[in-house]
């Protein structure tokens, strides 16, 4: 039998935006007896995660300050924080991502500094390697690299995205080559590529843009940058003055298919332009409906959307901040960044300073020689695909299974993981990008902050019930 004082124990794995916001929301909502909350982070930096730990001040948020509060019930929270530090900041400012990282560190530290007596909150520099059991009524155990085993009544898997998949055509020796960067968010390795004369960036989305902005530098000695992707198109840009309104989106009538949905959204954008407005108003109007639309598509139609329409949607929906778009234009105008359309055939190291690349275009196979290659093809959506021990073992141990279409993890409406047989867990939860198969749009702050608030409240309610039972046991 449990001693009356046994606290409700929650382990949150990962202290990027999703894990940090969940911890903050649980602490805000907690009204039960003793709570022991442990937040594990393997990088020692609590709050910013991958997106907001960039040291490069030219990497800007792609959402305005008005849209970036971490707390859905306090929409001005980030804007006020920013304005207190920069009097010129306003609702439409696209702030440096490193400023947002500082905001998250402070938010977490502030929550930790105001704990009620019944709550302990530990932030541990540690990596979770495996989750054991956690099914039925048994508590879960989180096995970590440094602290051994942690017993938990609830575990939140908030580990963000995988690294990109190895690009096609990678020859033997490429992955260990000093000029090959598999992790485009490894800022030190990216900065070190500035010494090369020519760098190939595989991919042309927002991650490529980050790399180009860093390596493009401010002076003429920076490398020549070549961005290669299948279509060779860039994300669109935000306007410096946001559109005056967001168009109300009306879903199409009748059975929903991927093609009908795409045509419907396209027609809404064209109608907006024809009426003298901005296509962005129409795209932004779809955003509150994207999760419901995704869930209304049958599985086969979701697959068709991914194959036929997702890229076009993403370049219009996830836009560059105006300042970043201007920098990319300068780099292209000066010839320091070029975009090429083609599919990779082969990437082969020739020596420590030379890699040969072959890619197929509409007219034939082109070859080029570069000093370095950065993989910016986007996160691999399959859980554990990059060899991450935690997610791989979750699947191997049958505590979790891949989500629809292999995107993220399968989970229920509250983010509760489904095991290999589809049974929802009462103890294991996730949020953010790992819910992609279920929700599709679940990777940006405006979506994740709501999931974190819901999950924090849910754990607080469950924890209060468990505390009450333990108090009388
Ligand atoms: C480069 C980039 C820029 C972005 N810009 C924006 C933006 O401007 N606006 C916006 O709304 N969204 C943006 N996003 C989307 C962004 O992903 C989300 O907003 C959010 O930051 C994701 O947070 P997360 O906690 O889910 O993942 P992450 O930030 O990846 O955090 C996961 C954390 O878990 C840790 N971790 C992983 N595994 C373990 C383990 N086993 N044990 C312990 N710790 C572990 C990692 O070290 C990491 O710190 C951007 C994303 C990227 C990648």
């Amino acid at each position: 039998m449990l001693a009356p004082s046994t606290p409700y124990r929650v382990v949150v794995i990962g202290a990027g935006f999703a894990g940090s916001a969940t911890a903050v929301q649980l602490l805000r909502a907690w009204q039960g007896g003793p709570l022991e909350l442990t937040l594990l982070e393997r990088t020692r930096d609590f709050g910013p995660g991958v997106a907001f730990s960039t040291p490069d001040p030219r990497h800007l948020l792609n959402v305005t300050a008005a849209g970036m509060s971490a707390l859905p019930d306090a929409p001005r929270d980030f804007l006020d924080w920013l304005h207190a530090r920069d009097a010129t900041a306003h609702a439409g400012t696209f702030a440096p991502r490193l400023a947002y990282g500082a905001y998250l560190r402070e938010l977490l530290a502030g929550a930790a500094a105001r704990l009620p007596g019944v709550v302990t909150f530990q932030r541990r520099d540690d990596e979770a390697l495996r989750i054991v059991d956690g099914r039925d009524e048994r508590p879960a155990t989180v096995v970590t690299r440094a602290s051994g085993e942690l017993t938990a009544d609830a575990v939140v898997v908030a580990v963000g995205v995988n690294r990109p998949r190895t690009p096609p055509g990678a020859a033997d020796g490429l992955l260990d080559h000093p000029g090959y960067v598999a992790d485009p968010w490894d800022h030190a390795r990216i900065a070190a590529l500035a010494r090369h004369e020519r760098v190939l960036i595989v991919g042309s989305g927002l991650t490529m843009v980050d790399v180009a902005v860093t390596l493009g530098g401010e002076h003429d000695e920076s490398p020549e940058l070549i961005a290669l992707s299948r279509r060779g198109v860039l994300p669109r840009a935000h306007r410096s003055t946001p559109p005056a309104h967001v168009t109300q989106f009306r879903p199409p009538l009748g059975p929903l298919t991927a093609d009908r949905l795409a045509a419907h959204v396209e027609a809404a954008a064209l109608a907006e332009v024809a009426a003298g407005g901005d296509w962005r108003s129409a795209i932004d109007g779809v955003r509150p409906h994207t999760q419901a639309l995704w869930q209304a598509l049958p599985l086969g139609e979701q697959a068709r959307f991914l194959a036929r329409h997702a890229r076009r949607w993403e370049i219009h929906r996830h836009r560059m901040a105006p300042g970043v778009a201007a920098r990319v234009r300068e780099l292209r105008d000066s010839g320091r960044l070029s975009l090429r359309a083609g599919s990779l055939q082969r990437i082969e190291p020739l020596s420590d300073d030379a890699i040969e690349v072959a890619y197929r275009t509409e007219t034939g196979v082109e070859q080029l020689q570069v000093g370095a290659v950065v993989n910016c093809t986007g996160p691999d959506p399959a859980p554990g695909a990059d060899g991450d021990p935690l997610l791989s073992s979750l699947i191997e141990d049958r505590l979790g299974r891949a989500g629809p279409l292999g995107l993220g993890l399968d989970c229920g409406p509250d983010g509760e993981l489904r095991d290999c047989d589809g049974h929802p867990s009462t103890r294991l939860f996730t949020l953010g990008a790992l819910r992609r198969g279920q929700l599709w749009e679940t990777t940006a702050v405006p979506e994740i902050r709501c999931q974190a608030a819901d999950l924090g409240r849910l754990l607080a309610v469950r924890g209060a019930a468990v505390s009450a039972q333990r108090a009388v046991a």
Side-chain angles (χ1 to χ4, degrees):
M1 183 182 294
L2 291 159
S5 59
T6 300
Y8 186 67
R9 296 147 303 186
V10 178
V11 175
V12 178
I13 305 172
F17 178 75
S20 302
T22 305
V24 168
Q25 294 290 3
L26 172 58
L27 293 171
R28 292 172 97 210
W30 185 255
Q31 293 188 336
L35 167 68
E36 193 179 283
L37 171 60
T38 306
L39 180 58
L40 298 176
E41 172 54 52
R42 64 184 175 192
T43 64
R44 298 168 169 234
D45 194 1
F46 287 77
V50 172
F52 310 117
S53 56
T54 169
D56 190 333
R58 296 163 300 188
H59 290 167
L60 305 182
L61 294 174
N62 54 28
V63 176
T64 57
M68 286 296 286
S69 170
L71 311 170
D73 60 349
R76 286 186 58 92
D77 198 57
F78 175 60
L79 179 55
D80 290 344
W81 181 94
L82 187 66
H83 196 257
R85 285 151 188 83
D86 172 4
T88 65
H90 53 85
T93 298
F94 290 88
R97 293 213 302 270
L98 61 79
Y100 196 74
Y103 162 70
L104 294 178
R105 282 188 203 98
E106 281 188 29
L107 190 75
L108 203 51
R114 293 186 301 269
L115 298 178
V118 289
V119 175
T120 57
F121 175 32
Q122 288 189 17
R123 283 164 286 171
R124 287 201 193 182
D125 304 335
D126 203 349
E127 179 177 8
L129 300 175
R130 188 175 212 119
I131 300 172
V132 180
D133 205 351
R135 276 186 276 195
D136 306 323
E137 291 309 306
R138 286 163 296 190
T141 302
V142 179
V143 181
T144 75
R145 195 176 287 283
S147 344
E149 297 186 350
L150 305 172
T151 305
D153 296 296
V155 180
V156 179
V157 180
V159 296
V161 292
N162 289 331
R163 287 187 311 178
R165 187 176 295 178
T166 301
D172 286 349
L174 179 74
L175 302 191
D176 303 321
H177 188 272
Y180 176 69
V181 182
D183 179 354
W185 303 294
D186 183 336
H187 304 291
R189 289 219 51 209
I190 297 293
L193 302 182
R195 69 184 181 84
H196 290 285
E197 272 177 31
R198 198 188 239 186
V199 174
L200 174 74
I201 309 174
V202 186
S204 62
L206 289 172
T207 311
M208 179 286 285
V209 168
D210 270 3
V211 173
V213 164
T214 295
L215 286 180
E218 305 295 343
H219 46 80
D220 290 336
E221 286 103 65
S222 51
E224 178 196 352
L225 303 170
I226 298 165
L228 173 73
S229 67
R230 267 188 300 247
R231 295 184 186 81
V233 285
L234 278 172
R236 301 295 188 259
H238 282 285
R239 281 168 42 146
S240 20
T241 321
H245 68 282
V246 170
T247 318
Q248 210 187 346
F249 178 73
R250 288 192 182 76
L253 299 171
L256 200 60
T257 66
D259 293 352
R260 283 192 68 214
L261 181 58
H264 191 75
V265 172
E266 181 115 27
L270 290 173
E272 188 66 45
V273 173
D278 186 327
W279 57 265
R280 295 169 186 81
S281 306
I283 299 296
D284 294 351
V286 183
R287 185 165 179 172
H289 305 274
T290 47
Q291 294 184 353
L293 289 167
W294 176 254
Q295 290 177 337
L297 285 173
L299 195 66
E301 290 298 322
Q302 290 179 343
R304 186 169 173 85
F305 179 83
L306 286 187
R308 299 288 297 264
H309 305 295
R311 180 75 187 128
R312 187 160 162 73
W313 166 253
E314 281 182 350
I315 62 174
H316 289 88
R317 152 79 181 80
H318 299 280
R319 305 192 284 266
M320 290 184 275
V324 171
R327 183 66 191 139
V328 169
R329 208 171 306 119
E330 280 169 21
L331 289 172
R332 293 184 71 190
D333 289 348
S334 66
R336 277 149 69 196
L337 169 66
S338 60
L339 286 175
R340 302 203 187 163
S343 48
L344 271 171
Q345 303 285 295
R346 192 154 176 81
I347 319 179
E348 181 164 12
L350 300 178
S351 69
D352 273 4
D353 278 321
I355 301 174
E356 192 164 74
V357 178
Y359 62 97
R360 180 173 292 284
T361 68
E362 280 184 351
T363 51
V365 174
E366 305 272 338
Q367 292 202 332
L368 54 98
Q369 206 167 306
V370 296
V373 173
V374 187
N375 186 352
C376 293
T377 54
D380 189 329
D386 59 357
D388 176 79
L390 179 70
L391 294 181
S392 310
S393 64
L394 205 64
I395 304 283
E396 273 162 34
D397 296 344
R398 304 159 69 85
L399 293 175
R401 66 180 187 184
L405 303 171
L407 302 175
L409 288 168
D410 194 9
C411 43
D414 294 320
E416 61 276 37
L417 295 192
R418 290 191 196 279
D419 68 13
C420 62
D421 299 317
H423 299 308
S425 171
T426 55
R427 299 192 185 278
L428 311 185
F429 299 87
T430 191
L431 74 165
L434 284 170
R435 293 183 69 180
R436 198 130 192 244
Q438 180 199 18
L439 300 173
W440 171 246
E441 290 253 320
T442 174
T443 53
V445 164
E447 282 86 26
I448 299 178
R449 67 184 168 201
C450 296
Q451 294 175 21
D454 291 345
L455 188 50
R457 274 192 298 268
L458 181 130
L459 293 176
V461 169
R462 291 206 182 166
V466 171
S467 299
Q469 277 169 10
R470 287 178 181 170
V472 295

